[in-house]
Amino acid sequence: MAASFSSSLRSCSGLLVLLAAGAALSGCAGMSETVAPAFADPGKYELYDCKQLETERKALASRTADLQRLMDKAQTGAGGAVVSELAYRNDYIAVRGQAQLADEAWRRNRCRETPPEPTPPAAPPSSAAAAKPASKSGKAMR
């Protein structure tokens, strides 16, 4: 009777440990918005000017999108949610924190987006190149 009680107690304690671990991990999934700035240096962007902040914000947005694509791709496979969390989640949270701090510095400095440079119109082909057709045989003409 004592043996069956101890095995029953052991299985119940194992179940409780699994439930506690599941609850702890599920709580982490919703914390990314509030925890993100904790993974970034708050003074990193203090001395950046608007041009540097614009470049940094674009790079961070690109990196965030890349990590999101990688996480989405990893979640399509078997066990993908675990792989996604282990491989990419910490980087994703850190980059999101940096992006939030860069955005705060952007607003604090009252920066504005640089308008894209207009592309110059394409030059028409020169008349000399258009007048002389290329040789089709590949041999030089004499």
Side-chain angles (χ1 to χ4, degrees):
M1 177 147 174
S4 68
F5 179 72
S6 68
S7 67
S8 175
L9 183 61
R10 207 173 310 137
S11 65
C12 284
S13 65
L15 181 62
L16 285 174
V17 168
L18 287 175
L19 286 174
L25 289 176
S26 68
C28 292
M31 293 174 46
S32 65
E33 294 300 321
T34 58
V35 175
F39 286 97
D41 179 16
K44 181 175 182 176
Y45 302 111
E46 292 296 320
L47 300 177
Y48 278 42
D49 63 9
C50 289
K51 186 173 179 114
Q52 291 170 319
L53 282 171
E54 184 174 19
T55 304
E56 185 71 11
R57 288 175 69 222
K58 287 179 182 177
L60 290 170
S62 174
R63 180 69 179 144
T64 301
D66 289 344
L67 287 169
Q68 185 64 50
R69 278 193 298 274
L70 289 170
M71 289 169 57
D72 291 343
K73 184 177 178 182
Q75 289 181 356
T76 60
V82 174
V83 171
S84 173
E85 288 293 320
L86 292 175
Y88 304 116
R89 182 57 107 187
N90 288 338
D91 287 340
Y92 180 77
I93 291 171
V95 171
R96 289 284 308 269
Q98 290 176 359
Q100 286 178 2
L101 292 173
D103 287 342
E104 288 173 12
W106 179 265
R107 285 189 297 276
R108 190 172 45 250
N109 291 346
R110 296 187 180 119
C111 296
R112 301 214 188 289
E113 293 283 336
T114 303
E117 293 182 16
T119 56
S126 67
S127 61
K132 198 183 272 186
S135 170
K136 292 183 180 179
S137 66
K139 295 181 181 178
M141 294 182 65
R142 296 184 189 187

